[in-house]
């Protein structure tokens, strides 16, 4: 006689979301928002004028590069996409590999970051006859930091930049251990520590903006219009993210409904359309604590994952869509772990 064994499902007891229901409700003051929008548009025009003035004056191209760098690191590059692309393309067309202005390391990083391949041979002038980098570079701590960031734009086989990275990393570590000896402020020292932990090109733009805004504000040479624009735009975009998270929280998990498609070819666009419009169910109607108790409730984390890749306002619908898709994938994954054989 065959004895049937009871199937034991490997159900996990996941802790509830640490965020609770705080993202379900989002209220926004329309009157205040309209005033902020007007201020933002005015500040954008001011910055655009500054870009155009520096663009037409070759003697200000060095300042123009610094302005581009600040715009990018303040997290508002999406406000000036066309302008920044035009500026860097213009710089590359005029100078090529022969940059004769200041801030060589910044020029190199910005152009390579944008996809313009400029030669690293220009760094040879900062080396001694024995091939080592000059100790005088340590007299300019911010310049040394720029060289460190520029070295990360290296490609395979660029030994010069490999040496530059080793040199700058060692020197910057010394500076952080004893900043007073190098006339380095506490703010700059903390900024260097963050760079040593993770260089610019590896950082999430939103987190970089959050760190760079207070650092930029303490600089004597900061641009007041640019700083205010960065703060307002950061808060405005944060409000948009909160609103999106509230929207997607109201229909977090989806109950896949049965539907039949009588076609011989299944186009990807049509399938995605069905996924987006036909499988949604309200989270509360679904009663996840009762019906999907084995599924992880991690919607905010999944949304933050998408924001890390595409945080700009123009990708609002895409963020909502991909958060839902990833949530479905997470449900299917937990379901398989529990009920798969």
């Amino acid at each position: 006689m065959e004895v049937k064994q009871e199937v034991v499902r490997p159900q996990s007891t996941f802790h509830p979301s640490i965020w609770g229901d705080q993202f379900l409700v989002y209220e926004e003051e329309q009157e205040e928002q309209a005033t902020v929008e007007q201020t933002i548009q005015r500040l954008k025009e001011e910055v655009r004028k500054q870009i155009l003035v520096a663009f037409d004056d070759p003697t200000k191209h060095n300042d123009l590069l610094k302005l581009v760098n600040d715009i990018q690191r303040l997290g508002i590059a999406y406000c000036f996409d066309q302008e920044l692309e035009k500026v860097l393309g213009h710089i590359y067309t005029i100078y090529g590999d022969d940059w004769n202005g200041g801030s060589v390391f910044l020029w190199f990083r910005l152009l390579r970051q944008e996809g313009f391949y400029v030669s690293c041979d220009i760094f040879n002038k900062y080396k001694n006859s024995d091939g080592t980098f000059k100790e005088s570079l340590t007299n300019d701590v911010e310049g040394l930091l720029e060289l460190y960031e520029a070295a990360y734009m290296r490609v395979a086989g660029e030994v010069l930049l490999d040496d530059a990275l080793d040199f700058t990393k060692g020197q910057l570590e010394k500076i952080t251990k004893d900043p007073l000896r190098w006339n380095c402020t506490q703010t700059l020292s903390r900024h260097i520590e963050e760079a040593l932990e993770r260089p610019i090109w590896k950082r999430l733009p939103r987190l970089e903006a959050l760190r760079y805004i207070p650092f930029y504000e303490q600089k004597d040479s900061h641009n007041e219009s640019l700083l205010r624009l960065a703060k307002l735009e950061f808060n405005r975009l944060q409000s948009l993210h909160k609103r999106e998270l509230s929207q997607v929280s109201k229909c977090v998990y989806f109950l896949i409904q049965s539907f039949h498609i009588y076609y011989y070819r299944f186009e990807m666009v049509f399938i995605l359309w069905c996924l987006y419009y036909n499988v949604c169910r309200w989270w509360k109607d679904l009663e996840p604590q009762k019906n999907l108790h084995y599924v992880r409730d991690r919607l905010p984390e999944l949304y933050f994952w998408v924001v890390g890749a595409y945080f700009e306002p123009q990708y609002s619908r895409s963020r909502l869509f991909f958060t839902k898709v990833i949530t479905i994938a997470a449900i299917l994954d937990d379901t398989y772990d529990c009920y798969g054989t």
Side-chain angles (χ1 to χ4, degrees), residues 6 23 43 65 98 135 149 184 258-259 268 275 314 333:
E6 181 182 357
F23 294 117
L43 292 171
L65 285 178
D98 255 347
E135 289 294 326
E149 296 288 2
C184 178
S258 60
F259 58 92
M268 181 59 68
L275 181 67
Q314 62 266 33
D333 179 61

Side-chain angles (χ1 to χ4, degrees), residues 76 213 217 226-236:
I76 52 176
I213 287 175
E217 187 174 15
L226 188 62
L227 177 62
R228 191 178 179 202
L229 174 62
K231 289 181 177 181
L232 291 176
E233 192 63 30
F234 185 93
N235 293 334
R236 186 180 73 92

Side-chain angles (χ1 to χ4, degrees), residues 259 261 263 265-275:
F259 58 92
I261 308 173
Y263 292 100
R265 293 183 62 189
F266 296 93
E267 297 292 345
M268 181 59 68
V269 174
F270 183 72
I271 293 175
L272 292 177
W273 183 89
C274 291
L275 181 67

